[in-house]
Amino acid sequence: MKKIKLGMIGGGLGAFIGDAHRRASRICNDFEFAGGVFDADYGKSKEFAKLEGIAPERCYESVELMIKGELARKADDRIEAVAIVTPNYLHFPFAKMLLENKFHVMCEKPMTMTVKEAEELEELVGKNKLTFALTHTYTGYPMVRQMREMVSSGMLGTIQRIDAQYYQGWVNSIIHGADSRITGVWRFDPSLSGVSSCMGDIGVHAFNLIEYTTGLEIKQVLSDLSSIKEGFRLDLDGTVMLRFDKGLKGVIRSCQVATGEENNLTIAVYGSKASIKWGQENPNYLYMLTDSDPVKVLKPAHGYNSDFAEKSHTMPCGHPEGIYEAVANIYKGMAKSIRGEKFKSGEFPTVHDGVRGMKFIHAVVNSNKNGNTWIKL
Amino acid sequence: MKKIKLGMIGGGLGAFIGDAHRRASRICNDFEFAGGVFDADYGKSKEFAKLEGIAPERCYESVELMIKGELARKADDRIEAVAIVTPNYLHFPFAKMLLENKFHVMCEKPMTMTVKEAEELEELVGKNKLTFALTHTYTGYPMVRQMREMVSSGMLGTIQRIDAQYYQGWVNSIIHGADSRITGVWRFDPSLSGVSSCMGDIGVHAFNLIEYTTGLEIKQVLSDLSSIKEGFRLDLDGTVMLRFDKGLKGVIRSCQVATGEENNLTIAVYGSKASIKWGQENPNYLYMLTDSDPVKVLKPAHGYNSDFAEKSHTMPCGHPEGIYEAVANIYKGMAKSIRGEKFKSGEFPTVHDGVRGMKFIHAVVNSNKNGNTWIKL
Amino acid sequence: MKKIKLGMIGGGLGAFIGDAHRRASRICNDFEFAGGVFDADYGKSKEFAKLEGIAPERCYESVELMIKGELARKADDRIEAVAIVTPNYLHFPFAKMLLENKFHVMCEKPMTMTVKEAEELEELVGKNKLTFALTHTYTGYPMVRQMREMVSSGMLGTIQRIDAQYYQGWVNSIIHGADSRITGVWRFDPSLSGVSSCMGDIGVHAFNLIEYTTGLEIKQVLSDLSSIKEGFRLDLDGTVMLRFDKGLKGVIRSCQVATGEENNLTIAVYGSKASIKWGQENPNYLYMLTDSDPVKVLKPAHGYNSDFAEKSHTMPCGHPEGIYEAVANIYKGMAKSIRGEKFKSGEFPTVHDGVRGMKFIHAVVNSNKNGNTWIKL
Amino acid sequence: MKKIKLGMIGGGLGAFIGDAHRRASRICNDFEFAGGVFDADYGKSKEFAKLEGIAPERCYESVELMIKGELARKADDRIEAVAIVTPNYLHFPFAKMLLENKFHVMCEKPMTMTVKEAEELEELVGKNKLTFALTHTYTGYPMVRQMREMVSSGMLGTIQRIDAQYYQGWVNSIIHGADSRITGVWRFDPSLSGVSSCMGDIGVHAFNLIEYTTGLEIKQVLSDLSSIKEGFRLDLDGTVMLRFDKGLKGVIRSCQVATGEENNLTIAVYGSKASIKWGQENPNYLYMLTDSDPVKVLKPAHGYNSDFAEKSHTMPCGHPEGIYEAVANIYKGMAKSIRGEKFKSGEFPTVHDGVRGMKFIHAVVNSNKNGNTWIKL
């Protein structure tokens, strides 16, 4: 099958996240990395293009030139989808330009800086009938998909409590190091990163994971955030109380200075009949609990899983796949959508998930500002 | 060494918690179970006394008679300490009577129904120079004590976040069963159990564990509670935001309808230099995390532990001790105190811990009632 | 109920194992520690007796005197059962004397020095209709008993492979320390300890655990042992191939110099329909595996367990009991037997288990000596 | 950088292992899948080539034609390396042909049917100065490489015991199903698969893992194998005693009918100063044990790891990579070798590892045949 030509904005030399996208797209095997704007510095961008074997004429100096250049090509030789892996404040302008020019977009999260921007992108995607995918990476794991299917099947009964956590420690050594390191990190500059660090960068993944696995919408939040170090301008830690419809409550806890934590994203959904727990660091284990039976440990590549989970894993049981394969699953879903193939809701996070995420981030920040009061999403 | 005669109020036939106290006191080996008031029904009480080999004259019809009877004995033949293992609303009146008559008390938690009662007991204990121990059982575990010592040593640096959880599922099958079961459970009747179910029964353990292991006081709470089932009069679930001094924040999450959870009490204390995590269901494992080193797993019976932790464990490494041994450690601390031996702060939870616990429970309930606002303890 | 008076040989000041027996017997609550011969040094024995509150006249200078002294008492004031917790070479002579004088015996393992001695004890027990229990401690764990019941129910189908391990590391620091420490340890002196260190001390537990949980007899062994350090006279490490009836094979691996291992006894029984795995360091978790279903994790205090397992655990689910409770369960079984109450096969390891163990130890040592050939038990 | 053109023999429609090779080679990004002989049935081969986007002229009818066709191309357009993913009996003839014609080879294991064949390939590789890689997949895991570096650093002291296990359960449902399934599986036909099933397919991985991580050679083996089901012609289960130089002993246990086991390959290396344990199903966790310190849990993406381990992992800590990335690491090492870049011993398993593996398999089978005697490798 013909591969979809993939462009990239950002992700040049030394950029971890761009490399992750390229690896995932290669695993998925529906894409061909064809060009892009890899660095604000055109020289570095060209250096990178050479190393990657990108045709020199497809290493563009700006997004505008890339759009122009690709539109000038014949349709079957054109970059059709573009991955945006820049600092946060650039997601919106580039996504907007791309969508207006009929390119499909794979965008890093948080999707935009404001809710309004997010809604504008959603409208554009709808109007132009394009595919827009957002890297809520963790939705690509087979057992997360299995969890979604299990909840959706009703086997948990009425959901009674939801508890999600996202703890990392990496910012700790930065805030306790020299100040210059803080100012050097774009994530800690509100004008580049947005209104939130901890909630915008990782809390929103926990939020998305809840909505993804349960199919429920969070209606209100009440938050208490902390910036830990005096003078630090963004949140590095926070607790968010959640309210859903029908009296359901829950909590998201998130921290970027939980010293020693690596990437500890977990979710527990407690139902009246059964409960399910999952953690990102051991993504191939899904725990199901009931009042009466032994705890069940579900793993990929077994007949007891849903079709959706099984199609998201290719190795036999006991051969652990990891996060690249999760991202590859999202690229695969995006490819199906671009090609007009049938796909399942949940195969990739959409622009609507991006709008939801922005609403969450802003509501959380506002609740904290307003003296820890309930804010509607 | 001569054993301390131990009386008991409650804990007769079929009472699990009374049996637990007796086992623990036997393990500790400083006590001799000598008499008490084992059941509101005197016949049943006598039946129990016979089975246990209690002298018939020491199976009393009432607490008043027990006090009178024991005071009539010679000092060296007298019950010196009494364990109160009744429903919650009886803790205070019995404890008060006992303290006024110079008996040492081991009391189940929550200590009283109100903060005022708790403070009254604290005053009495101080005035009469008695030993009062409270069954915050989990403080008896060796690795909890090790955690306390590690935090106290300063090796964690500045504490940046505290997260505790206490999830159980056992109430789930009750609330989704016949209504009669709910009315039959004294824990669910506010007049017998107090203002809270989930927070009063288990949330307060998480609270105590935080204050015990860190030596910090929680200053304010903001809670959101849920009674899950319509018509249910007490909380069965809740999230409590915590504020300590110096900007430190944290969270307690607690639930009694987390289907399938057994007794999942956990605590994580994140410091600027290191973090520590512990969970009750695998109590012999303590995890220490840093930015730069491999995760360390500490276990009992090793030279790297503090003296306090090591003295709280008697088996060689790899021979798991459990919860009875934890309670026995608390009985051991109480015995030292009664005997006037030197003991360490933290060897048993005191009446002051009980006062703190009652303040917590009431503050949490009030915060929820007041529309999720901050309440001082 | 009247308590059974328990005597002890060995287990004086600083003796860990004697203390463990006393704690376990107190937890079980059917015994009263009444006297014994606690130390070869009578002075130390008396010092210990005083500390423990043992009546001075029941602190005997020798086993002969203890037997004489106790037999002189009225039946209902007499020590009925005696725990032998001496170095190995003394087990047999003391057990024999006690049995000949109609005392019940709780004996540390390995039961004797030779198979012949073991068989002599078995004959004596049978002839005198006494209760003889052996501390294969691990058979007292609830989930080991659950495993036994599950295998016995046939739910595993035909057993296809059995794999047991017992790894410890504590001897490592001894053999790499000063020589004097080796010579000071009675366990390393064949004349005091027997023909084997690793297999006699811990390998035999793995052997017993296999026979206990499966109800199968090991028929032949082929071993390869290692004494690790030049000049060391006993095995510290070994692999033992096992053959059962009907072509079933298995393996025991055991080591006392597995640096850093604590008390890592595990067993896996693989059947044609299902498999079960258990490990001593987390004794409350039993894993059941099948071809088609999620892994099941069984824990104590649940309705899905057998009656035998459930009666071996007293706390509610999630409240971990440990090794003292396991030993207490064995004491409880012994008490039932002494009292003539109904008990289940498997409630305590018997003299026959001791005979089997001695046959195993000697067969393993002989196989190694004979150039790693098959030896029948 | 220019990609190395990769050919493949076998691995057509529905072939899991071929797909795994292609994914891994794409992750590694040094190869371009260019052609091959994908199926014995040329029609199916062509169908597969079309799906994969392989140029039709590079979908060959036979290995001979592929060699001829590729040699006819200009050097810079030629397939340079060929992955052999056929049933075992075809590895040797195809590898030989390829090597004789100067193609580099990536070969599935077991490398050949006989030791002689293996040695013939080793000679050819040496003579023709080619790169030959063998898919001992597990050597590609970062923490396995870390283990190798740690052992090699001497930090374990003298190695005292080695214990490896490889348990799977997948054959269980086959042997207890209809006979036709057994005859249909080429792995169970000695003429297609070789002299061993369990040892040849998985036991040899455990063997390789031991030699890879410790740098030690196994000198002698004594085995006891079992074919479990009457009439089954190959081993499905076995224990192998190991002897190394200097008195070191160890064991490999392997089983394909360990019901419910997925892919449970583990290794433990016990040294006089420290020990290391690793398991394939949670490949990102490496456990280091000592006599005196807490257990250390090493994970990828940390400064405490060796350079070799760190270069074998690309994601930040806590983002689990899996088995595809492990295979990709091996492809990466092969690419370096083909390109004449500097690489480290251990970056990919070599033809010599294949010779060692064949010696192991044959020695194990012979030991079992000879009545469980020691056989030299």
Side-chain angles (χ1 to χ4, degrees), chain C residues 78-143:
Chain C
R78 192 180 294 157
I79 285 175
E80 285 182 78
V82 178
I84 303 174
V85 293
T86 63
N88 300 347
Y89 75 105
L90 295 169
H91 294 174
F92 172 71
F94 291 155
K96 191 180 167 192
M97 254 191 271
L98 289 164
L99 292 171
E100 286 171 342
N101 287 284
K102 305 285 176 66
F103 291 86
H104 305 289
V105 170
M106 168 68 81
C107 188
E108 265 304 313
K109 45 123 291 277
M111 190 166 79
T112 57
M113 298 288 273
T114 67
V115 175
K116 197 173 155 296
E117 290 171 351
E119 289 172 336
E120 197 174 332
L121 292 188
E122 185 174 27
E123 203 189 319
L124 255 173
V125 168
K127 199 178 65 183
N128 290 357
K129 296 193 187 345
L130 292 163
T131 299
F132 187 105
L134 195 69
T135 48
H136 279 303
T137 313
Y138 309 112
T139 64
Y141 278 121
M143 299 323 279

Side-chain angles (χ1 to χ4, degrees), chain B residues 148-169:
Chain B
R148 176 178 163 106
E149 298 274 305
M150 288 169 80
V151 176
S152 141
S153 78
M155 68 193 292
L156 269 63
T158 307
I159 296 179
Q160 301 184 151
R161 178 170 186 83
I162 299 176
D163 188 333
Q165 167 189 290
Y166 204 149
Y167 280 179
Q168 294 182 331

Side-chain angles (χ1 to χ4, degrees), chain C residues 147-159:
Chain C
M147 189 171 175
R148 177 178 163 105
E149 297 274 306
M150 288 167 80
V151 176
S152 142
S153 77
M155 68 193 292
L156 269 62
T158 307
I159 296 179

Side-chain angles (χ1 to χ4, degrees), chain C residues 150-151 154-161 269-277 287-291, chain D residues 172 257-260:
Chain C
M150 288 167 80
V151 176
M155 68 193 292
L156 269 62
T158 307
I159 296 179
Q160 301 185 150
R161 178 170 187 81
V269 176
Y270 295 102
S272 58
K273 291 184 184 161
S275 306
I276 312 189
K277 305 204 284 187
Y287 300 86
M288 181 179 160
L289 292 75
T290 64
D291 284 333
Chain D
N172 189 61
V257 294
T259 301

Side-chain angles (χ1 to χ4, degrees), chain B residues 26-27 262 302 314 324-325, chain C residues 26 262 302 314 324-325:
Chain B
R26 292 198 303 270
I27 294 173
E262 299 190 338
H302 285 288
T314 55
Y324 283 122
E325 287 70 38
Chain C
R26 292 198 302 271
E262 300 190 337
H302 285 288
T314 56
Y324 283 121
E325 288 69 38

Side-chain angles (χ1 to χ4, degrees), chain A residues 26 262 302 314 320 324-325, chain D residues 26 262 302 314 323-325:
Chain A
R26 292 197 304 270
E262 300 191 337
H302 284 289
T314 55
Y324 283 122
E325 287 70 38
Chain D
R26 291 197 304 270
E262 299 190 337
H302 285 288
T314 56
I323 192 162
Y324 283 122
E325 287 70 37

Side-chain angles (χ1 to χ4, degrees), chain A residues 34-316:
Chain A
V37 184
F38 309 116
D39 202 300
D41 176 331
Y42 191 34
K44 283 189 186 168
S45 196
K46 284 188 283 191
E47 193 181 337
F48 171 79
K50 195 170 171 189
L51 271 172
E52 280 285 317
I54 294 294
E57 68 277 16
R58 269 178 151 158
C59 173
Y60 297 99
E61 195 164 1
S62 71
V63 179
E64 289 82 352
L65 289 172
M66 176 177 78
I67 290 173
K68 198 176 157 192
E70 292 298 323
L71 289 179
R73 288 176 177 264
K74 278 187 291 185
D76 72 346
D77 185 39
R78 191 181 294 157
I79 285 176
E80 282 182 78
V82 178
I84 304 175
V85 293
T86 63
N88 299 347
Y89 75 105
L90 294 169
H91 294 174
F92 172 70
F94 291 155
K96 191 180 168 190
M97 256 192 270
L98 289 164
L99 293 170
E100 285 171 343
N101 287 284
K102 306 284 175 67
F103 290 87
H104 305 290
V105 170
M106 168 68 80
C107 187
E108 264 304 313
K109 48 122 289 279
M111 190 167 78
T112 57
M113 299 287 273
T114 68
V115 175
K116 198 174 156 293
E117 289 171 353
E119 288 173 336
E120 197 175 331
L121 292 188
E122 186 174 26
E123 204 189 319
L124 256 173
V125 168
K127 199 177 69 183
N128 289 358
K129 296 194 188 341
L130 292 163
T131 298
F132 187 104
L134 195 68
T135 48
H136 278 303
T137 313
Y138 308 113
T139 64
Y141 277 121
M143 299 323 278
V144 168
R145 293 174 168 199
Q146 173 65 10
M147 189 173 175
R148 176 178 164 107
E149 298 274 306
M150 288 168 80
V151 176
S152 141
S153 79
M155 68 192 294
L156 269 63
T158 306
I159 296 178
Q160 300 184 151
R161 178 170 186 82
I162 298 175
D163 187 333
Q165 168 190 288
Y166 204 149
Y167 280 179
Q168 294 182 332
W170 67 277
V171 178
N172 188 62
S173 60
I174 294 178
I175 61 166
H176 297 303
D179 275 354
S180 58
R181 289 195 63 196
I182 299 177
T183 45
V185 179
W186 66 258
R187 285 178 189 279
F188 303 151
D189 180 341
S191 66
L192 306 179
S193 166
V195 295
S196 166
S197 172
C198 179
M199 289 298 156
D201 194 30
I202 61 175
V204 70
H205 272 304
F207 165 83
N208 176 263
L209 194 57
I210 290 174
E211 295 205 340
Y212 181 81
T213 55
T214 65
L216 299 176
E217 280 203 342
I218 290 169
K219 298 298 185 186
Q220 292 185 70
V221 295
L222 185 160
S223 74
D224 194 29
L225 308 181
S226 179
S227 57
I228 302 292
K229 189 175 162 138
E230 206 158 329
F232 200 85
R233 294 152 71 197
L234 294 167
D235 56 301
L236 288 175
D237 168 84
T239 301
V240 186
M241 290 171 165
L242 309 174
R243 288 193 175 167
F244 302 78
D245 276 340
K246 299 185 191 169
L248 175 62
K249 298 180 178 181
V251 64
I252 287 172
R253 302 159 288 116
S254 190
C255 186
Q256 293 181 307
V257 293
T259 301
E261 291 282 14
E262 300 191 337
N263 198 38
N264 200 346
L265 168 66
T266 66
I267 183 166
V269 176
Y270 295 103
S272 58
K273 292 184 184 162
S275 306
I276 312 187
K277 305 204 285 186
W278 179 83
Q280 192 276 146
E281 295 194 4
N282 291 290
N284 294 310
Y285 294 76
L286 186 65
Y287 299 87
M288 181 178 159
L289 294 75
T290 63
D291 284 333
S292 54
D293 295 322
V295 172
K296 286 182 185 137
V297 188
L298 291 84
K299 298 182 68 182
H302 284 289
Y304 51 72
N305 287 318
S306 67
D307 190 57
F308 186 23
E310 283 304 288
K311 289 203 169 136
S312 306
H313 195 272
T314 55
M315 276 274 175

